Amino acid sequence: MNKKNVSPNKAKEHLKKRSKEEMLAIRQLAAKKAQKWRRIIGLQHMLIGAVSFALITGILSYSGVLAGADRLLSDTLYQAIAHKNGNSHIRIISVDEKTTRKYGEFSDWSREITAEFLNQLNQRESKSPSVIGLNLDYSECRDREGDAALIDACSSYKNVCFGVYAVMEDPPETPFTDSHSSSSGIYVNSGLNMMGEHHVTDVKVPFKGLLEQVTIGIVNNTIDSDDGIVRNAFSHVRLNSVDVDSFSTAVYKMYMDDRGMEYVLPKLDEDQSFHFTFSKKSHEYAVYSFSDVLEGKIPSGAFQDCIVLVGNLDDDTTFYTPNQRNVQMQELELQANILEAMLEQRTGQEASRGFTAVFFAMFAAIFFIATAYSTLTFTPIIAALVITVQLLACWLVNLSGYYVNILVPLIMIVLISIYNLILRYVIALQKQYAIEDTFKKYVDESVVSELEKDGLMKAQIGVISKDIAVLFVDIRGFTSLSESLPPEQIVKILNAYLALVAQAVAKYQGTLDKFIGDAAMAVFNSPTDLEDYEFKAVCAALDLRANASDLNEMCEREYGKQVTFGIGIQCGEAVIGNIGCEKRMDYTAIGDTVNTASRLEGAAAPGQILISAEMMRRLRGRIKTHFAGEYTLKGKKNAVPTYALEGITSTE
């Protein structure tokens, strides 16, 4: 019986609701399947992830395992910011080759040369330097007249500071307390006066008579880091219960006093050292020849109110510095950088490992929580903003007097961002798979595969013309069956019946187009090409009829009812594709071929498979049929000859 002539009943209405709520059901089932993936970023995951990344960050920061790379990056940032190419208040006067050619080696000079040099710089008080720092050895007496001339010059000008050298050795196992002084001006320390890992035993001060007229400062006051690069210096050393300033500290104090300004000493670490940032690289300070200055070739105003550092830029005392790792810096230029850092208040303390570990761990935990729910698009944006803020914050902390390494937090920002992006991607894939898996319960899998070509679930309106085979199947006597059984039992029977249809169609690579109440429509050779599709369509019909006996036995046993099918098959041209509107569409086939198959199914008797003459022609010699008569089908002007399919005679 044609299904369109059946009166509506409760079972039909029950089934119609399923069609109307199809998309809602898809979403609900997909959401249920994806629920476990949404739980991944729930509160438990947030806490575990935050704690885990905090621990990783804290361990990396405290252990110093990345110290080398961290120093390199941190130095690059801080030194780049501090680097200045403009003029400063520091000038360097070098005992260069030009000077030694004219006056000989410094070790052979009469001290009268230095006295004349000081007189030349200070000849006009209004244009004299604020401080003159001499980084040369004046620990031994020379000729009496020259020494007296130097003492006299230094007593006249109170702007001279002499650099001195501390003699250091590894600390003794047991402290000792003897002390003495010698005529050579060497003071011996009484007690453990530490400079880094070394014990200061002696300081080579200027010769007797000169020492009382000048200020002194220890020149060798720097510390090499583990990587051999100078980043820290000592402010002073305690000798015989007296604090002896470093050369840079002594010059700094003198300069600030001369300017009438209050000086601020650096904050010191536990070992009494301070960290400083370099301003200039080698050869970036203004350098003048000692001989040119002595001979008055340099205008006196060139050093007005400046700090003048005097020494030998060609000696063998050099250092590796963070702002020029491949080139060593001369000691006088190193002292100039320390002094400039003190003048510009770019000194400070190394942030302790414990503090940085806790601070960065908290930062990583907060960043993880902040980005856990961000989208794939916004996570990189947030990461870029946070990195910028992090670099700015570290720079500001550095300006406030603390050296903070920056690599570990940057690495953790990147790692957390990558983790969250991967997690989001996995969750998105799982949701997509859940939707596809659920969608396949409503739409044939081959249609879903066609829609998700290129890796995307796309559905756009569009059709093509293609030769296909169409199969319709319908339950006979469904009206009386539905009237005698409750809707729940009818649905159970329908589900068993439709499962048989789906299995038979899938077995022969057909596409289950749709369920229409108690009827089903399947197509062969759509959407994907299928060889011998006409033959596979009749095979699916025969398989379905053969398996119907199991369903009939179940219905007879449980409900006392029999269930039989009517099947119709036609082949020919049809229009296939997405048909509908943007908000709702079906992937289906339409046309005369589809209508004829539907009419043949409606005309089929219970248990009968009707095919068209075209199907008979195409499969002649391979199937067994008998003429079933001519039927006047709805929509057809002329009667249509039909054939009842009995079986298969040949698979070839």
Side-chain angles (χ1 to χ4, degrees):
M1 181 181 295
N2 192 317
K3 61 182 179 300
K4 292 197 175 181
N5 295 325
V6 177
S7 301
N9 51 62
K10 293 182 180 179
K12 291 272 190 177
E13 292 175 358
H14 188 82
L15 293 171
K16 287 179 181 179
K17 291 181 181 179
R18 175 179 173 179
S19 176
K20 292 179 181 179
E21 298 175 355
E22 180 178 301
M23 293 308 297
L24 178 61
I26 290 176
R27 292 180 179 276
Q28 290 175 342
L29 289 176
K32 186 176 180 180
K33 284 194 171 187
Q35 185 66 29
K36 65 178 181 179
W37 295 101
R38 285 199 295 270
R39 290 184 190 136
I40 289 181
I41 55 172
L43 180 60
Q44 184 177 7
H45 166 260
M46 293 271 286
L47 293 176
I48 294 175
V51 172
S52 299
F53 279 108
L55 286 175
I56 294 172
T57 305
I59 292 172
L60 284 176
S61 181
Y62 189 82
S63 66
V65 65
L66 300 175
D70 206 337
R71 289 283 194 181
L72 177 61
L73 180 62
S74 302
D75 289 340
T76 301
L77 173 67
Y78 297 143
Q79 306 303 334
I81 293 173
H83 183 259
K84 302 181 186 306
N85 291 316
N87 294 326
S88 71
H89 296 290
I90 300 175
R91 305 286 186 267
I92 293 178
I93 298 177
S94 174
V95 180
D96 54 8
E97 184 179 355
K98 180 180 180 179
T99 303
T100 56
R101 282 201 308 266
K102 189 165 188 175
Y103 298 101
E105 295 296 330
F106 173 77
S107 58
D108 299 328
W109 285 6
S110 167
R111 299 291 163 72
E112 191 173 358
I113 294 177
T114 304
E116 293 177 6
F117 172 80
L118 295 177
N119 290 331
Q120 180 66 32
L121 285 176
N122 290 298
Q123 62 178 328
R124 297 181 62 180
E125 184 177 353
S126 61
K127 293 187 177 182
S128 63
S130 291
V131 184
I132 301 172
L134 291 166
N135 185 19
L136 296 168
D137 184 11
Y138 293 91
S139 60
E140 297 180 354
C141 297
R142 297 276 175 83
D143 59 295
R144 181 175 299 180
E145 292 183 1
D147 291 346
L150 180 57
I151 294 173
D152 183 61
C154 290
S155 64
S156 301
Y157 314 119
K158 297 300 182 182
N159 61 347
V160 182
C161 178
F162 281 80
V164 298
Y165 282 84
V167 179
M168 294 176 286
E169 63 181 25
D170 292 335
E173 295 182 1
T174 304
F176 59 89
T177 57
D178 73 329
S179 64
H180 66 275
S181 62
S182 67
S183 60
S184 64
I186 298 178
Y187 291 170
V188 181
N189 175 38
S190 60
L192 283 177
N193 302 300
M194 303 299 295
M195 186 179 291
E197 298 179 353
H198 300 285
H199 172 219
V200 178
T201 58
D202 302 328
V203 173
K204 297 181 67 176
V205 299
F207 61 85
K208 190 174 182 180
L210 179 61
L211 176 63
E212 290 79 7
Q213 305 298 327
V214 298
T215 302
I216 63 171
I218 296 175
V219 175
N220 54 333
N221 65 321
T222 58
I223 307 172
D224 289 348
S225 301
D226 295 336
D227 56 2
I229 294 177
V230 174
R231 296 183 183 89
N232 290 64
F234 287 100
S235 175
H236 62 275
V237 176
R238 193 167 186 80
L239 296 173
N240 296 323
S241 301
V242 177
D243 289 336
V244 179
D245 288 332
S246 68
F247 183 63
S248 52
T249 301
V251 172
Y252 167 67
K253 288 181 177 180
M254 293 175 65
Y255 179 78
M256 297 300 285
D257 287 340
D258 181 72
R259 306 295 293 174
M261 301 169 63
E262 182 178 355
Y263 56 79
V264 179
L265 295 178
K267 298 176 182 178
L268 302 179
D269 290 329
E270 293 180 355
D271 61 357
Q272 303 303 305
S273 69
F274 62 90
H275 181 89
F276 66 94
T277 306
F278 285 73
S279 294
K280 290 181 172 58
K281 299 180 180 180
S282 296
H283 311 302
E284 288 188 347
Y285 285 102
V287 179
Y288 302 87
S289 172
F290 187 95
S291 63
D292 288 343
V293 175
L294 181 59
E295 295 169 7
K297 295 180 180 180
I298 307 299
S300 58
F303 308 107
Q304 181 179 349
D305 299 327
C306 290
I307 297 173
V308 175
L309 301 182
V310 184
N312 185 358
L313 286 180
D314 296 325
D315 62 16
D316 296 331
T317 307
T318 56
F319 303 85
Y320 285 105
T321 61
N323 62 336
Q324 52 175 48
R325 288 175 172 256
N326 298 324
V327 179
Q328 290 184 297
M329 182 176 288
Q330 296 291 329
E331 185 175 61
L332 202 60
E333 294 175 316
L334 176 62
Q335 291 296 325
N337 271 287
I338 299 173
L339 184 55
E340 190 163 354
M342 296 178 71
L343 289 170
E344 297 181 2
Q345 295 296 300
R346 285 186 288 98
T347 62
Q349 300 168 287
E350 292 265 7
S352 69
R353 287 188 177 185
F355 169 78
T356 55
V358 173
F359 177 75
F360 290 153
M362 292 176 59
F363 176 81
I366 294 172
F367 179 73
F368 175 80
I369 294 173
T371 56
Y373 286 100
S374 62
T375 63
L376 292 172
T377 302
F378 283 102
T379 295
I381 296 175
I382 294 174
L385 290 175
V386 171
I387 288 174
T388 302
V389 172
Q390 173 70 24
L391 293 175
L392 179 62
C394 288
W395 175 57
L396 293 175
V397 169
N398 181 255
L399 291 180
S400 65
Y402 292 92
Y403 184 92
V404 181
N405 292 330
I406 61 178
L407 181 61
V408 170
L410 294 182
I411 289 177
M412 295 312 301
I413 290 172
V414 174
L415 288 179
I416 292 172
S417 299
I418 292 174
Y419 172 82
N420 282 330
L421 286 173
I422 293 175
L423 180 61
R424 286 290 170 193
Y425 181 71
V426 171
I427 292 173
L429 284 181
Q430 290 300 326
K431 287 184 177 180
Q432 177 76 1
Y433 293 153
I435 291 173
E436 291 175 13
D437 186 60
T438 305
F439 197 50
K440 289 173 183 177
K441 298 180 185 299
Y442 291 84
V443 180
D444 191 89
E445 186 170 346
S446 61
V447 176
V448 177
S449 299
E450 183 72 14
L451 292 176
E452 64 180 2
K453 280 183 178 179
D454 301 324
L456 298 172
M457 285 289 289
K458 293 182 178 179
Q460 298 177 346
I461 294 176
V463 295
I464 62 171
S465 179
K466 192 175 185 181
D467 193 276
I468 61 173
V470 183
L471 180 152
F472 272 87
V473 60
D474 178 75
I475 295 179
R476 293 297 178 258
F478 184 77
T479 301
S480 59
L481 185 67
S482 62
E483 289 176 349
S484 59
L485 295 175
E488 292 78 10
Q489 293 180 355
I490 292 297
V491 171
K492 184 177 180 181
I493 294 172
L494 282 174
N495 286 340
Y497 146 67
L498 295 175
L500 288 178
V501 175
Q503 291 171 4
V505 172
K507 180 179 178 180
Y508 293 97
Q509 299 173 287
T511 298
L512 189 57
D513 186 282
K514 61 172 69 68
F515 294 135
I516 314 168
D518 61 323
M521 171 184 169
V523 295
F524 295 79
N525 201 38
S526 173
T528 56
D529 294 338
L530 183 65
E531 293 183 1
D532 204 12
Y533 55 90
E534 302 94 338
F535 184 71
K536 289 180 178 178
V538 299
C539 288
L542 290 169
D543 195 70
L544 179 59
R545 185 171 64 180
N547 293 331
S549 58
D550 293 337
L551 176 62
N552 199 33
E553 289 179 6
M554 185 270 289
C555 293
E556 182 71 31
R557 182 177 62 255
E558 296 187 9
Y559 310 116
K561 303 291 182 180
Q562 290 190 353
V563 176
T564 57
F565 307 153
I567 302 173
I569 308 174
Q570 169 66 317
C571 62
E573 288 287 325
V575 175
I576 61 171
N578 292 314
I579 299 172
C581 62
E582 291 295 335
K583 292 186 177 180
R584 183 68 170 88
M585 62 184 69
D586 286 323
Y587 190 92
T588 187
I590 60 173
D592 182 67
T593 299
V594 178
N595 294 336
T596 300
S598 177
R599 304 296 183 261
L600 289 173
E601 172 264 308
Q608 189 179 43
I609 302 172
L610 289 183
I611 65 174
S612 66
E614 178 63 19
M615 285 289 293
M616 176 65 182
R617 184 187 66 79
R618 294 189 186 187
L619 298 175
R620 189 182 303 276
R622 302 177 66 186
I623 58 175
K624 183 180 180 180
T625 63
H626 67 267
F627 183 68
E630 293 186 348
Y631 288 87
T632 302
L633 303 179
K634 184 178 180 181
K636 297 288 185 179
K637 293 182 179 180
N638 301 320
V640 176
T642 62
Y643 296 84
L645 179 65
E646 296 180 2
I648 297 173
T649 59
S650 174
T651 58
E652 299 297 331

